[in-house]
Amino acid sequence: MTTLTEITQRNHRRVVWCFWGLLVGATLVSLIGNVVHAVLPYIPRVVIQIGAAAAPPIAVLAAAHGIAQAVRAGASGRVYRWAVSAVAAIGVGAFAMSFLALRDLMQAIGYSATTAWIFPVLIDTAVAVGTLMLVALGDKPARRSRTVTASTSAQVKPSASNAPAPVSAPPRPHSVRADQVASSAESAPVDSALRAASAPDQHADAGADYAALAQALVDAGATTKPAAVVASILAAHAEGTALNRIASDTGIHHKTVSKIIDAAENHRRHLVAV
């Protein structure tokens, strides 16, 4: 089963490669434009027109895909808002150039000036809707599926606990010696007392271990969160609590929770190696 940490890391790698591709593509277009400007008298005009007409729609498609991947990876903050604004500016420019080209095309094939604008408006509106929905949706379907799964499991657990215990067949009679009955009767109170006495000690030892590990992480600079919060995160993770649940309970971003848990694992491996 894929964990939340693995999904986050996979989405992060995808968005990094996506924006690397966007950067390389935009740089190549800029380079080709500079070279074409230098040798402009020797290049057929139609070749330049084809390149200039194809570049804006491709730029909009690549930028919209990159923003959608960034949303899926949980991007937020000022840089993300600037990127969305830049994509909107790219889209407006591309739509304007596409509108003019398609309108002229409609007029060239016989449409009047009063109706030639309909086709480019339809095409550009479809592109705008696709771009906006990619940016708006992000990973909301994945979040909804995780939420439904969590709520379903939460509903199943109480129903399972409230279900009546199955009726088992009575045990088969067998012979028991009197000394076995006496020894078991004497040892049962002692065993239960030992278990009751050792349980708090085990919980206390585990809490002390988490507190010491949390303080070690804070001292090593692995996190800036308070040691008490880090200890609660480690304890909840050891109990099998999901990362998004821990993030919700502590009010810390799930990426930070994942980094704290990874740092704790690395610290433990380092201690074992030493």
Side-chain angles (χ1 to χ4, degrees):
M1 181 178 179
T2 305
T3 63
L4 183 61
T5 302
E6 293 172 347
I7 294 174
T8 302
Q9 292 175 350
R10 184 187 308 164
N11 291 333
H12 182 267
R13 287 193 297 268
R14 286 177 179 174
V15 73
V16 168
W17 280 111
C18 180
F19 279 102
W20 265 115
L22 181 61
L23 177 60
V24 171
T27 304
L28 287 176
V29 171
S30 177
L31 177 62
I32 293 172
N34 293 333
V35 174
V36 168
H37 181 267
V39 296
L40 186 59
Y42 308 99
I43 299 178
R45 184 181 181 87
V46 65
V47 175
I48 302 174
Q49 290 176 336
I50 292 174
I58 294 175
V60 172
L61 179 63
H65 178 70
I67 291 297
Q69 292 294 327
V71 174
R72 188 183 300 275
S76 61
R78 183 179 301 175
V79 175
Y80 169 73
R81 290 191 292 270
W82 276 105
V84 173
S85 300
V87 171
I90 294 172
V92 171
F95 296 153
M97 295 184 64
S98 175
F99 175 84
L100 295 175
L102 293 177
R103 186 195 62 182
D104 294 344
L105 175 62
M106 292 296 101
Q107 291 178 346
I109 62 176
Y111 282 82
S112 64
T114 57
T115 58
W117 59 271
I118 298 176
F119 179 73
V121 166
L122 291 176
I123 299 301
D124 289 346
T125 302
V127 175
V129 171
T131 303
L132 291 176
M133 291 306 295
L134 280 175
V135 174
L137 289 177
D139 66 336
K140 287 181 181 178
R143 290 180 180 177
R144 282 198 296 269
S145 64
R146 290 197 296 267
T147 303
V148 170
T149 303
S151 61
T152 304
S153 61
Q155 293 174 0
V156 170
K157 289 181 180 179
S159 61
S161 61
N162 293 332
V167 179
S168 58
R172 297 175 58 185
H174 57 279
S175 59
V176 180
R177 296 200 308 270
D179 56 347
Q180 293 178 343
V181 174
S183 61
S184 62
E186 292 175 357
S187 60
V190 176
D191 294 339
S192 60
L194 289 175
R195 287 194 297 268
S198 61
D201 294 338
Q202 293 175 355
H203 289 296
D205 293 341
D209 292 340
Y210 295 138
L213 180 56
Q215 189 61 49
L217 295 178
V218 173
D219 294 340
T223 179
T224 58
K225 301 299 179 183
V229 176
V230 176
S232 65
I233 292 174
L234 298 178
H237 178 68
E239 294 175 358
T241 308
L243 294 184
N244 55 351
R245 180 64 181 177
I246 298 174
S248 176
D249 292 341
T250 57
I252 299 175
H253 196 274
H254 64 85
K255 288 185 179 180
T256 304
V257 173
S258 176
K259 289 180 180 179
I260 291 174
I261 294 173
D262 292 341
E265 294 296 332
N266 293 333
H267 184 77
R268 290 192 182 99
R269 286 195 291 267
H270 178 71
L271 293 179
V272 172
V274 173

